[in-house]
């Protein structure tokens, strides 16, 4: 009467094999995942654009940030963080030791939240020290960092160009 024990053992072995195979497929599919994230930012309004008493130009704008980062999420993704940066071809911005200024950031905790649009004004102040921003072209870059549960973090971005500030203060 060994058949019950034998069968239970065979079943267990089979279950463990399936589990190992599933793990292998999961990590393999993570490597094979070619994400195709998309993002778009519209400048809906320049709320105000002023020269401050100290001579710095400051801009407040309303943005519509829309993105579909669902393809960045796999079984191994903990969260995705995003930063929207602005860059313009200005001498003064370069003296800041950075070519970009952060306007907005956010964290996507799960795949269900990864397709969205948000109507917001710039969360961080956009000030240019000294020079004037009138009529200047600028680019917006949405950067994202994918934080995995295990393994290396990776980052990527989309650059959106062709924006321009108004010619006059308002
Ligand atoms: C923001 O952009 C998304 C996608 O382009 C669009 O569906 C939505 O209506 C826009 N919202 C506003 C307030 O413009
Ligand atoms: C904006 O993007 C365009 C095209 O990608 C690039 O040629 C230009 O140098 C960028 N300008 C700035 C200020 O980053
Ligand atoms: C965005 O701009 C900030 C400066 O405000 C800079 O520290 C940061 O490195 C930029 N992000 C990226 C990914 O370049």
């Amino acid at each position: 009467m060994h058949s019950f024990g034998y069968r239970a053992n065979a079943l267990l072995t089979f279950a463990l094999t399936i589990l190992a195979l599933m793990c292998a497929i999961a990590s393999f599919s993570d490597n094979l995942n070619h994400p195709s994230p998309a993002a778009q930012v519209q400048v809906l309004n320049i709320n105000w654009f002023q020269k401050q008493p100290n001579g710095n130009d400051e801009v407040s704008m309303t943005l519509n940030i829309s993105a579909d980062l669902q393809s960045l999420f796999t079984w191994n993704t903990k969260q995705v963080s995003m930063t929207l940066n602005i860059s313009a071809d200005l001498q003064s911005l370069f003296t800041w030791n950075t070519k970009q200024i952060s306007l907005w950031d956010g964290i996507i905790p799960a795949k269900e939240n990864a397709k969205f649009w948000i109507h917001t004004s710039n969360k961080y102040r956009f000030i240019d020290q000294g020079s004037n921003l009138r009529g200047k072209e600028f680019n917006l870059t949405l950067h994202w960092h994918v934080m995995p549960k295990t393994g290396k973090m990776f980052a990527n971005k989309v650059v959106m160009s062709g924006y321009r500030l108004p010619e006059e203060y308002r």
Side-chain angles (χ1 to χ4, degrees):
M1 287 293 113
H2 63 271
S3 70
F4 175 74
Y6 171 77
R7 226 180 280 152
N9 193 11
L11 209 61
L12 186 67
T13 309
F14 182 64
L16 286 178
T17 309
I18 294 273
L19 200 64
L21 199 65
M22 276 164 55
C23 286
I25 290 170
S27 64
F28 188 61
S29 69
D30 197 39
N31 286 330
L32 278 187
N33 181 43
H34 293 298
S36 51
Q40 196 189 338
V41 179
Q42 290 167 275
V43 178
L44 296 178
N45 190 41
I46 303 289
N47 304 323
W48 41 268
F49 178 29
Q50 289 166 353
K51 182 168 281 297
Q52 299 172 329
N54 60 12
N56 296 341
D57 276 3
E58 179 164 7
V59 188
S60 165
M61 46 182 130
T62 302
L63 306 166
N64 180 10
I65 304 165
S66 61
D68 182 355
L69 305 183
Q70 284 183 311
S71 63
L72 295 177
F73 281 82
T74 68
W75 65 282
N76 192 29
T77 307
K78 194 171 166 206
Q79 65 176 34
V80 173
S81 64
M82 293 173 299
T83 309
L84 182 71
N85 276 9
I86 188 165
S87 60
D89 197 5
L90 302 169
Q91 282 311 115
S92 54
L93 282 180
F94 289 91
T95 65
W96 290 17
N97 238 348
T98 162
K99 294 183 177 182
Q100 306 197 347
I101 298 177
S102 207
L103 288 185
W104 179 86
D105 57 19
I107 286 181
I108 309 176
K111 187 171 186 170
E112 300 80 73
N113 313 108
K115 189 173 180 183
F116 66 93
W117 63 264
I118 174 173
H119 188 202
T120 179
S121 60
N122 50 298
K123 184 169 164 184
Y124 304 110
R125 297 174 77 190
F126 177 29
I127 303 176
D128 182 50
Q129 295 179 321
S131 77
N132 90 74
L133 293 170
R134 280 176 293 170
K136 287 282 166 28
E137 282 185 28
F138 63 94
N139 290 351
L140 294 171
T141 307
L142 188 74
H143 299 268
W144 59 84
H145 287 88
V146 180
M147 288 165 214
K149 289 173 184 153
T150 62
K152 282 187 303 196
M153 186 171 88
F154 74 94
N156 213 333
K157 64 184 177 183
V158 274
V159 181
M160 294 156 277
S161 54
Y163 303 90
R164 186 185 286 275
L165 285 164
E167 299 288 345
E168 298 300 330
Y169 295 119
R170 53 172 84 162

